[in-house]
Amino acid sequence: EDQVTQSPEALRLQEGESSSLNCSYTVSGLRGLFWYRQDPGKGPEFLFTLYSAGEEKEKERLKATLTKKESFLHITAPKPEDSATYLCAVQARGATNKLIFGTGTLLAVQP
Amino acid sequence: SQTIHQWPATLVQPVGSPLSLECTVEGTSNPNLYWYRQAAGRGLQLLFYSVGIGQISSEVPQNLSASRPQDRQFILSSKKLLLSDSGFYLCAWSPTSPTQYFGPGTRLTVL
């Protein structure tokens, strides 16, 4: 069964303290892995799509990486405005319309 | 650029009442459309998806139904709401690529 597990469930950082969020997945052939940011009471905001192991993508203070079993979202020198829930999802080959989501990591960055 | 709208933003309904949530997409043609539900502490769950007008696929048997009367309009309905239907309902769209883009969501509370 396709599955996504995110860790930690919650993370508290000081402003400027870099860290990483983990997304472990099991899927019968990966078509894509997706990272989203979700603010309270709002819809998820798309961040990155990764397609194959070894791929990396960056956006401002965020960098996403992908291996055959997991993905990391690295946050460099975070600011309070980076506080949000970060969601990871996968799409399997042959299930082209279905995303399997993890339960997310709630990130709080304190000034 | 593409924009996705959902309404209403919040809704409080009694058990047994009907439901109609609407989603529209602007700035694209023939998108794939999706309905997700997000329950507290759980990942997003795909409810329905549509690849064209009148074409609906259901992922989870339940008290809900979906319709796509126009190319860029997606409607989620119920004849009689249950307490368990409470949650945050998200509409999403995707172009030919696998990445899905989410709307602002509707918070439904069934009392």
Side-chain angles (χ1 to χ4, degrees), chain A residues 12-40:
Chain A
R12 182 171 294 181
L13 300 174
Q14 291 295 124
E15 184 172 2
E17 178 186 3
S18 302
S19 188
S20 297
L21 312 182
N22 178 263
C23 172
S24 298
Y25 64 91
T26 54
V27 64
S28 52
L30 181 69
R31 184 172 187 232
L33 184 140
F34 309 86
W35 283 99
Y36 291 86
R37 168 194 170 126
Q38 187 174 25
D39 292 306

Side-chain angles (χ1 to χ4, degrees), chain B residues 31-42:
Chain B
N32 291 339
L33 297 173
Y34 311 83
W35 279 112
Y36 286 84
R37 178 169 57 203
Q38 186 175 35
R42 302 184 63 181

Side-chain angles (χ1 to χ4, degrees), chain B residues 3-5 11 19-20 23 26 28 30-32 37-38 40 48 54 62 66 72 76 80 90 92 97 102 107 111:
Chain B
T3 307
I4 181 168
H5 303 278
L11 191 60
L19 173 73
S20 181
C23 170
E26 296 178 354
T28 186
N30 196 31
N32 291 339
R37 178 169 57 203
Q38 186 175 35
F48 301 95
Q62 59 209 325
R72 291 170 289 175
L76 184 69
K80 289 185 177 182
L90 290 156
S97 71
F102 287 84
R107 174 72 60 190
L111 302 175

Side-chain angles (χ1 to χ4, degrees), chain B residues 30-96:
Chain B
N30 196 31
N32 291 339
L33 297 173
Y34 311 83
W35 279 112
Y36 286 84
R37 178 169 57 203
Q38 186 175 35
R42 302 184 63 181
L44 277 74
Q45 180 185 39
L46 179 63
L47 303 175
F48 301 95
Y49 68 89
S50 172
V51 299
I53 295 174
Q55 300 179 61
I56 307 295
S57 297
S58 174
E59 284 292 313
V60 182
Q62 59 209 325
N63 187 41
L64 303 170
S65 62
S67 62
R68 185 171 177 173
Q70 300 180 40
D71 180 45
R72 291 170 289 175
Q73 183 184 33
F74 205 22
I75 296 173
L76 184 69
S77 303
S78 175
K79 292 182 179 179
K80 289 185 177 182
L81 283 169
L82 306 173
L83 286 174
S84 57
D85 291 324
S86 293
F88 193 44
Y89 287 83
L90 290 156
C91 181
W93 75 278
S94 68
T96 53

Side-chain angles (χ1 to χ4, degrees), chain A residues 53-93:
Chain A
E55 189 175 1
E56 300 182 351
K57 289 191 176 175
E58 290 188 65
K59 179 181 179 181
E60 297 180 350
R61 295 176 293 281
L62 301 176
K63 179 181 177 180
T65 62
L66 180 65
T67 72
K68 289 185 178 180
K69 293 185 177 181
E70 59 189 350
S71 176
F72 291 94
L73 186 64
H74 307 278
I75 303 176
T76 302
K79 298 181 178 181
E81 53 262 42
D82 294 322
S83 298
T85 296
Y86 290 85
L87 300 172
C88 173
V90 298
Q91 189 175 85
R93 295 187 188 281

